[in-house]
Amino acid sequence: MDVDYIHHAVYGSSHDDKKSPHLTISFSDRSSSSSGATEGKVKFSVTCYFATQFDTLRKTCCPSEVDFVRSLSRCQRWCAQGGKSNVYFAKSLDERFIIKQVVKTELDSFEDFAPEYFKYMKESLSSGSPTCLAKILGIYQVSIKHSKGGKETKMDLMVMENLFYNRKISRIYDLKGSARSRYNPNTSGKDKVLLDMNLLETLRTEPIFLGSKAKRSLERAIWNDTNFLASVDVMDYSLLVGFDEERKELVLGIIDFMRQYTWDKHLETWVKASGILGGPKNTSPTIVSPKQYKRRFRKAMTTYFLTVPEQWTS
């Protein structure tokens, strides 16, 4: 393997001395066909977005950088349940990490609020303030270019913690606090992801009770996280909840928090509320503002999980 170069990119024009927070590493190797014949040189390039900031974050919540790299070196494609888009998913073989393809709009949004994300995570982890954000531990662009034919493939990938690592999860819910299109009629099979209306259907006969301390901690974490996400104009996130029947515990975290409230979402909200294209005026839009989403999300999560009276837990 020939290492060509390691460099820091530069923002703007060549006259701009401001260093980018991203690190690019390039190297090349020889590719071979299934028959063993050499097909030519292949150039690989990996851009580590916010390299220093993610490195600092990983030092606070990962066993070691060597373990992190070792986990990522052994991954396999994973058919994640519940996602609407056909993006690429993988999981490390030790199941510590989830790798997900990031689309351009998500990457643009994250680059916009990344400084606030790193600041929020640092303050939460150092102070012990409750948070249930599923930690994003790295974002990378991987590029592969073949010298023969010039074919080039690029993909942006996010690495995040696997919330269900080392857990025996029997049921999984993806909760947004909305009833619109939030029912999964197919509930059979392993690892099926159920939605808000599935949970409400179950709660009629099997309510979920939390101890008062656990309920306060959950509400505080959701309050903190949704306040942060609304402050950076992020919406459409979910609370991923898993039931660990073996330990009789709920395992949960907020996921999918990389999409900001952009102009197209503003427009949809305004059109739906005004009735300008027909239909009843003030109909609830499919897209709401980050502040509205925050309020709806908080209210729903408080309703979904009930508190066991103190005298029942003592």
Side-chain angles (χ1 to χ4, degrees):
M1 180 178 70
D2 304 319
V3 177
D4 290 345
Y5 61 87
I6 299 176
H7 76 276
H8 283 276
V10 179
Y11 276 137
S13 68
S14 58
H15 301 290
D16 187 358
D17 292 327
K18 184 178 179 181
K19 287 287 187 72
S20 163
H22 315 320
L23 173 70
T24 299
I25 302 172
S26 296
F27 56 94
S28 57
D29 201 356
R30 297 281 176 181
S31 69
S32 299
S33 65
S34 57
S35 63
T38 301
E39 294 193 334
K41 203 172 188 179
V42 180
K43 188 171 184 178
F44 300 88
S45 180
V46 179
T47 297
C48 308
Y49 292 97
F50 300 99
T52 301
Q53 293 89 336
F54 274 123
D55 179 63
T56 301
L57 175 60
R58 288 194 298 271
K59 285 177 179 175
T60 64
C61 56
C62 291
S64 75
E65 191 72 1
V66 173
D67 289 339
F68 179 72
V69 174
R70 186 180 289 119
S71 291
L72 294 185
S73 69
R74 300 177 179 87
C75 296
Q76 64 182 2
R77 189 154 190 173
W78 177 48
C79 295
Q81 301 287 330
K84 291 182 180 179
S85 57
N86 295 318
V87 298
Y88 174 87
F89 275 93
K91 186 186 289 187
S92 62
L93 290 183
D94 60 12
E95 299 203 339
R96 286 181 178 273
F97 303 107
I98 303 295
I99 297 92
K100 179 188 176 184
Q101 182 181 358
V102 178
V103 298
K104 186 179 185 303
T105 50
E106 292 174 329
L107 182 58
D108 290 345
S109 289
F110 185 81
E111 287 195 83
D112 184 55
F113 71 78
E116 287 80 10
Y117 168 75
F118 292 116
K119 180 183 177 183
Y120 177 73
M121 293 307 299
K122 179 182 178 181
E123 291 176 350
S124 297
L125 293 171
S126 61
S127 67
S129 179
T131 175
C132 56
L133 283 186
K135 300 179 194 68
I136 298 173
L137 300 171
I139 298 178
Y140 308 91
Q141 182 180 88
V142 179
S143 174
I144 304 172
K145 186 173 183 178
H146 296 263
S147 59
K148 188 177 181 179
K151 181 182 178 182
E152 184 174 16
T153 303
K154 285 186 179 181
M155 186 180 291
D156 293 310
L157 299 166
M158 169 183 69
V159 178
M160 62 181 181
E161 64 176 327
N162 179 9
L163 295 170
F164 302 149
Y165 169 67
N166 207 23
R167 293 281 190 165
K168 300 291 185 182
I169 301 298
S170 60
R171 281 181 292 161
I172 301 173
Y173 289 92
D174 180 298
L175 307 173
K176 291 182 181 290
S178 172
R180 186 190 294 266
S181 302
R182 299 296 297 167
Y183 184 77
N184 183 359
N186 184 8
T187 60
S188 60
K190 186 181 179 183
D191 296 332
K192 284 292 180 184
V193 177
L194 306 177
L195 306 176
D196 294 71
M197 297 308 292
N198 296 97
L199 178 63
L200 290 174
E201 189 175 70
T202 301
L203 291 179
R204 294 171 190 163
T205 55
E206 302 174 41
I208 300 171
F209 291 105
L210 301 178
S212 57
K213 185 177 179 180
K215 180 67 178 289
R216 285 196 300 270
S217 181
L218 174 61
E219 289 184 337
R220 179 74 183 276
I222 289 176
W223 184 277
N224 291 342
D225 293 340
T226 55
N227 194 53
F228 160 67
L229 294 173
S231 74
V232 292
D233 284 335
V234 169
M235 47 165 293
D236 207 30
Y237 42 85
S238 302
L239 186 72
L240 188 67
V241 180
F243 287 77
D244 187 333
E245 299 290 354
E246 204 171 77
R247 302 188 198 179
K248 303 298 181 184
E249 292 177 347
L250 288 183
V251 185
L252 48 82
I254 292 178
I255 61 169
D256 296 337
F257 53 87
M258 288 183 67
R259 183 70 192 270
Q260 288 178 305
Y261 188 59
T262 49
W263 68 268
D264 55 323
K265 293 183 181 293
H266 275 287
L267 182 61
E268 181 180 347
T269 301
W270 177 78
V271 168
K272 287 284 183 68
S274 66
I276 196 170
L277 296 181
K281 192 174 180 179
N282 295 321
T283 298
S284 296
T286 55
I287 303 298
V288 296
S289 73
K291 288 185 178 179
Q292 291 171 315
Y293 193 92
K294 173 185 72 174
R295 289 193 292 267
R296 188 183 74 188
F297 190 87
R298 287 174 174 176
K299 182 178 179 181
M301 301 312 142
T302 298
T303 304
Y304 292 163
F305 308 106
L306 305 177
T307 308
V308 178
E310 289 286 354
Q311 63 268 27
W312 291 6
T313 60
S314 58

